[in-house]
Amino acid sequence: MAKEEEFLKLIKQAALEVVANSKPCDVMIGIVAGESPLSIQLDQKITLTEEFLFLTRNVTDYSVIMEVDHTTEAEMGGSCSDHCREHTHDYVGEKEFFVKNHLQEGEKVLLLRVAGGQKFVVWDRLGV
C-alpha cells in the first residue's frame, strides 16, 4: 500500500505543478498611468499598453437604450428663463443614454492575466 500511496502523491504533485506553470489566471492590481492612449502600471518595471488589454464594459464608455415612463417634476424657467410658467411633461419611450465610464489617470484597477500571460482583462476599477 505504501508504494501506491506514494505513486498517487507523485501524480497529484505533478498535476499541481502543471496547473501552476500554465498560469491559467492571475488576479493583479494596477494603476491607470495614462488615459489616451490607455496604459496601466503593474509595478515599477511593467506598464501595460492598449494592445495587451481587454476592457470590460465596467471600464469603458458605452450607450444604452432604456425604457422610460414618467412625468418631469414641476419647475420654473427652462430654456425660456424665469418668465415661463411652471410646467410638467411626460417623458415616455425608449431613450438612449451615454454612460461615461472610461478609466481615468490614477484609478486603481483589477486585472486578470489571461492564460499564457500576454493579455490582461481589465475587470473593474477599485474603490478609493
Side-chain angles (χ1 to χ4, degrees):
M1 269 301 219
K3 287 185 180 185
E4 291 171 349
E5 288 176 12
E6 190 174 320
F7 181 65
L8 283 174
K9 220 175 180 182
L10 286 172
I11 290 175
K12 287 179 184 177
Q13 182 62 36
L16 289 172
E17 288 176 10
V18 165
V19 170
N21 289 334
S22 69
K23 297 183 180 181
C25 179
D26 284 335
V27 177
M28 308 175 94
I29 294 175
I31 297 176
V32 177
E35 293 180 40
S36 185
L38 180 62
S39 61
I40 297 176
Q41 189 170 356
L42 291 181
D43 57 33
Q44 290 180 347
K45 297 177 186 176
I46 301 173
T47 300
L48 303 171
T49 54
E50 286 181 349
E51 67 259 23
F52 297 102
L53 303 172
F54 294 115
L55 304 177
T56 65
R57 182 178 260 194
N58 295 335
V59 297
T60 59
D61 294 340
Y62 62 95
S63 292
V64 61
I65 295 175
M66 298 176 71
E67 185 74 28
V68 294
D69 186 3
H70 67 275
T71 301
T72 61
E73 294 181 16
E75 286 195 20
M76 293 291 289
S79 61
C80 58
S81 77
D82 289 337
H83 68 274
C84 291
R85 294 180 309 140
E86 187 172 306
H87 71 282
T88 64
H89 60 272
D90 290 336
Y91 192 65
V92 178
E94 286 188 348
K95 307 291 181 183
E96 184 175 13
F97 295 91
F98 185 71
V99 180
K100 292 184 175 183
N101 210 29
H102 64 275
L103 292 170
Q104 296 180 9
E105 194 170 326
E107 285 188 299
K108 287 186 180 180
V109 291
L110 184 66
L111 299 107
L112 303 175
R113 183 168 57 183
V114 179
Q118 295 300 312
K119 297 279 186 173
F120 295 79
V121 176
V122 185
W123 191 261
D124 208 346
R125 58 182 36 87
L126 297 174
V128 228

